Amino acid sequence: EESKIVEALLSLKDSSSVLLKEGVYKFDNLSIAQLKHILIKGEGFDKTILDFSSQTQGGEGIRVTGVKGFTIEGMSIRDSKGDLIKMSNCRDVVVRNLHATWKTADSTSGGYAIYPVLCNNVLIENCYAEGSSDAGIYVGQSRDIIVKNCEAYHNVAGIEIENCIRADVFNNYAHENT
């Protein structure tokens, strides 16, 4: 099924939705670029799991570039070599009910679990980030950000907002980070 999912993501058109059913899926990496209104949805963080532990190439588990209207929700992503999910140059980003973790939290973990950079209108809510070698949730060089009701555990930095304009960060629980 993984090859069919990769093929489906590569052939996405504007205004597409992808529902990933319950299961553990193993990927090398996934990429979505230059689209509008994309929804990637799982059946729950404890049911739909994207596993990147066998990754041999790429700097991220999931890379999203230049997408206007991107939502990912209801799943777990884990154990990439680099960042778990990086969204760059995107607009209207929603990351909801997502668990982003590494089993081993040390210098071999990727730098960022949830990583929007150079984005506008970002909402990160009800997410859990664990084990990153830098920040569990990192938002950089972005505008109009809300990070709420998230948990960051056992990362170097729990939640980091850097060089952003209009960031609202509240009701989060960051603990046992360096």
Side-chain angles (χ1 to χ4, degrees):
E1 289 192 26
E2 285 89 344
S3 62
K4 290 180 183 177
I5 294 168
V6 170
E7 185 178 316
L9 291 176
L10 289 173
S11 62
L12 285 176
K13 306 275 191 245
D14 289 349
S15 302
S16 292
S17 297
V18 176
L19 173 63
L20 297 173
K21 299 270 187 181
E22 181 175 346
V24 177
Y25 303 94
K26 293 189 176 278
F27 295 106
D28 196 49
N29 60 45
L30 298 172
S31 183
I32 301 167
Q34 308 303 321
L35 294 167
K36 295 178 184 172
H37 312 293
I38 301 300
L39 169 64
I40 308 295
K41 185 173 183 171
E43 293 189 322
F45 70 86
D46 56 341
K47 294 180 179 170
T48 303
I49 300 165
L50 281 54
D51 184 331
F52 296 94
S53 60
S54 301
Q55 185 176 21
T56 59
Q57 62 183 2
E60 298 86 20
I62 302 171
R63 175 186 286 231
V64 182
T65 307
V67 175
K68 291 181 174 105
F70 175 74
T71 299
I72 184 167
E73 64 184 5
M75 68 184 69
S76 288
I77 55 177
R78 66 182 187 202
D79 295 322
S80 65
K81 302 294 183 221
D83 307 317
L84 278 166
I85 181 166
K86 181 178 182 181
M87 296 143 289
S88 60
N89 294 301
C90 294
R91 180 174 191 79
D92 304 324
V93 172
V94 177
V95 181
R96 180 183 294 127
N97 301 321
L98 181 77
H99 283 207
T101 64
W102 286 271
K103 287 179 193 171
T104 305
D106 61 21
S107 62
T108 64
S109 301
Y112 304 112
I114 300 169
Y115 181 21
V117 62
L118 299 169
C119 293
N120 290 321
N121 300 326
V122 175
L123 172 63
I124 301 171
E125 70 175 333
N126 302 320
C127 292
Y128 177 81
E130 178 181 344
S132 61
S133 64
D134 198 325
I137 299 171
Y138 175 92
V139 184
Q141 301 81 46
S142 296
R143 295 174 177 264
D144 301 313
I145 303 115
I146 297 174
V147 179
K148 66 179 183 176
N149 304 321
C150 294
E151 182 177 359
Y153 167 76
H154 211 237
N155 305 283
V156 171
I159 299 170
E160 183 176 352
I161 311 298
E162 183 175 51
N163 296 322
C164 291
I165 296 172
R166 291 183 299 274
D168 198 359
V169 181
F170 60 95
N171 292 343
N172 298 292
Y173 182 41
H175 60 104
E176 298 182 54
N177 298 289
T178 304

